[in-house]
Amino acid sequence: MSVCRYPQLSEFPCPFRFVHPMLSCECPVLRVLVVDDHELTRISLKLALQRQADIELVGLASNGREAVELAERHCPDVIILDLQMPVMDGLSASTQIKSSHPNIRILAYSSLEDPQTEVMLQTAKVDAFCKKDTAIQDLISMVNKLGHRSAADS
């Protein structure tokens, strides 16, 4: 199992991200990675997430392979992950990410309405599902809930 590499304290925007066993302080900012092959979707989510004081956008990826690489590099708390993408799809990416980083929460984000989607999601390594026509505030609420569940599990 791979261990997330965190930057040195001097590189890191929030030094309280590291919770020392003797300290109880923790940075309330959730680190989020957005993965979608459509540039308009990535940019729209970027703009919406950057307006949230409690969310730090750590990266944007356009396919599953980039998602795996950025998850390894940035160790986000939550990944918003499109299911259908070129190079590597979201389900394959989620399986690779969860095998190395089981505490990263993955929100599958898709416009799929195929009945097989339900079956795929039951076996997929995702923590929640959100349709792309969901209101942005509802999506942000889901990200916050997943992120806080991740912090409670750590």
Side-chain angles (χ1 to χ4, degrees), residues 1-51:
M1 177 185 292
S2 171
V3 176
C4 290
R5 180 212 158 300
Y6 289 104
Q8 297 296 317
L9 282 176
S10 60
E11 300 174 61
F12 208 78
C14 181
F16 297 110
R17 172 89 166 116
F18 300 94
V19 180
H20 189 278
M22 302 300 286
L23 303 174
S24 61
C25 58
E26 185 176 329
C27 181
V29 175
L30 293 178
R31 298 167 46 80
V32 178
L33 171 64
V34 172
V35 186
D36 198 293
D37 58 323
H38 294 102
E39 183 179 26
L40 181 59
T41 302
R42 285 194 312 272
I43 300 305
S44 297
L45 290 173
K46 173 186 173 182
L47 293 173
L49 293 170
Q50 286 179 330
R51 293 174 45 197

Side-chain angles (χ1 to χ4, degrees), residues 59-133:
L60 298 172
S62 61
N63 63 60
R65 185 181 318 146
E66 290 176 7
V68 172
E69 292 168 4
L70 289 176
E72 187 68 32
R73 186 177 315 143
H74 297 292
C75 243
D77 299 304
V78 178
I79 300 174
I80 301 172
L81 183 67
D82 186 14
L83 295 179
Q84 287 191 310
M85 295 180 291
V87 183
M88 179 189 292
D89 65 72
L91 294 175
S92 299
S94 68
T95 300
Q96 284 192 26
I97 292 166
K98 285 288 197 173
S99 69
S100 299
H101 308 290
N103 290 332
I104 293 177
R105 298 296 181 209
I106 298 177
L107 174 60
Y109 186 64
S110 182
S111 58
L112 292 177
E113 294 199 28
D114 184 346
Q116 291 184 343
T117 302
E118 188 68 32
V119 175
M120 287 188 306
L121 289 174
Q122 290 174 357
T123 60
K125 301 287 186 178
V126 299
D127 298 290
F129 177 79
C130 182
K131 290 184 68 178
K132 285 190 176 181
D133 62 359

